[in-house]
Amino acid sequence: MSIIVDKVFEIIDELEKVRRGIEIVAATKTRPIEDILDVMQNTPVSAAGENRVQELIAKYDAGIKWDFIGQLQTNKVKYIIDKTRLIHSVDRLPLLEIIDKEAGKRGKVQDILIEINAGREAAKGGLFLEEAEEFAERVSFYKNVRLLGLMAVTPLVCAGAELQSYFDASYAEYLKLKECYQSVKYLSMGMSNDYLRAAESGANLVRLGRAIFGERN
Ligand SMILES: *Cc1c(COP(=O)(O)O)cnc(C)c1O
């Protein structure tokens, strides 16, 4: 067993102590395809999550599942729509509309998450929490798109109580949406530096890069 695979099983053990059934998406930006395949073929990680369209296309291997977790430009949707299990980063109506159109052309229903910018950071994509419900309603108007939940992005710098407040608010919003929409089942929240706390706060999908693959060069 490789070091990377070992690491994934350690993380799974930790997560199972919090709750059963928490899924992992491996955040694969800059990682070589050999390492990605090692993880995807030898562990129960749900998908490889890429940030950039170019990188997803370059690494794409039809034998494994891919998610898209980065900021997505509308004119790039057509390149990834037939390659993605789940798009985590849907945060504006024009993007939603294009995803619906491109999915429709291919006879696909594309699963998506609404991205939430929990810390209201100007440099990050994502809706503010109070915009999520109206956006979710809009999603339900499109027949080639299915809402599976929320992806919450949180500020890196903050610690302790502030981070917890973002997690709690995101979880509360997730529960609200879950009540309204049967398809909602994911709260994608938590990265390498905070995934246990996120899991304890209600996340059922964590996105891990460095915790699995080590620091990026
Ligand atoms: C890179 C990335 C992650 C993983 O970050 P790590 O700190 O390496 O775990 C998660 N989500 C998104 C959207 C990312 O771009």
Side-chain angles (χ1 to χ4, degrees):
M1 213 186 333
S2 70
I3 293 168
I4 296 174
V5 168
D6 255 351
K7 192 68 211 174
V8 172
F9 282 105
E10 273 175 37
I11 293 166
I12 290 171
D13 282 345
E14 287 178 312
L15 288 172
E16 285 197 341
K17 285 183 195 132
V18 177
R19 210 173 336 101
R20 306 222 63 149
I22 298 172
E23 292 186 33
I24 299 171
V25 166
T28 52
K29 56 177 171 277
T30 78
R31 310 298 180 172
I33 185 65
E34 302 78 55
D35 289 353
I36 298 168
L37 288 173
D38 188 23
V39 167
M40 296 308 299
Q41 291 168 349
N42 299 304
T43 77
V45 161
S46 298
E50 270 297 337
N51 284 73
R52 288 172 194 275
V53 169
Q54 285 305 332
E55 222 178 312
L56 174 57
I57 293 166
K59 291 177 191 168
Y60 184 70
D61 179 311
I64 62 175
K65 293 200 165 72
W66 298 88
D67 284 4
F68 196 82
I69 63 175
Q71 290 203 30
L72 183 54
Q73 290 170 268
T74 49
N75 61 348
K76 302 271 176 70
V77 170
K78 58 179 177 287
Y79 302 121
I80 62 151
I81 194 87
D82 56 354
K83 298 181 168 58
T84 45
R85 173 190 80 133
L86 178 63
I87 300 176
H88 293 230
S89 46
V90 180
D91 62 354
R92 55 200 195 279
L93 289 173
L95 179 58
L96 178 62
E97 199 172 312
I98 295 286
I99 292 172
D100 179 73
K101 189 172 131 208
E102 294 294 336
K105 278 190 202 167
R106 292 161 181 82
K108 177 184 189 185
V109 175
Q110 177 65 56
D111 287 332
I112 65 158
L113 303 179
I114 297 173
E115 180 179 351
I116 297 298
N117 182 353
R120 312 175 89 88
E121 294 169 278
K124 283 187 180 156
L127 296 169
F128 296 156
L129 267 167
E130 67 271 18
E131 299 170 321
E133 271 161 272
E134 193 186 333
F135 195 85
E137 197 186 329
R138 299 298 290 263
V139 175
S140 67
F141 297 157
Y142 291 95
K143 64 178 193 304
N144 307 307
V145 178
R146 182 170 59 171
L147 181 64
L148 293 199
L150 296 179
M151 169 169 82
V153 295
T154 50
L156 278 179
V157 285
C158 67
E162 192 184 350
L163 181 62
Q164 191 62 51
S165 73
Y166 299 137
F167 284 166
D168 291 345
S170 301
Y171 181 59
E173 190 58 43
Y174 162 72
L175 290 181
K176 265 196 223 168
L177 290 182
K178 203 171 157 58
E179 259 180 47
C180 298
Y181 303 99
Q182 271 191 338
S183 57
V184 168
K185 62 173 182 174
Y186 286 132
L187 176 58
S188 166
M189 179 170 86
M191 312 198 298
S192 294
N193 52 348
D194 56 16
Y195 64 92
L196 282 180
R197 172 91 79 113
E200 284 160 4
S201 308
N204 55 17
L205 192 168
V206 294
R207 307 177 310 273
L208 303 179
R210 290 167 300 142
I212 295 175
F213 299 104
E215 293 298 324
R216 285 194 300 277
N217 317 316

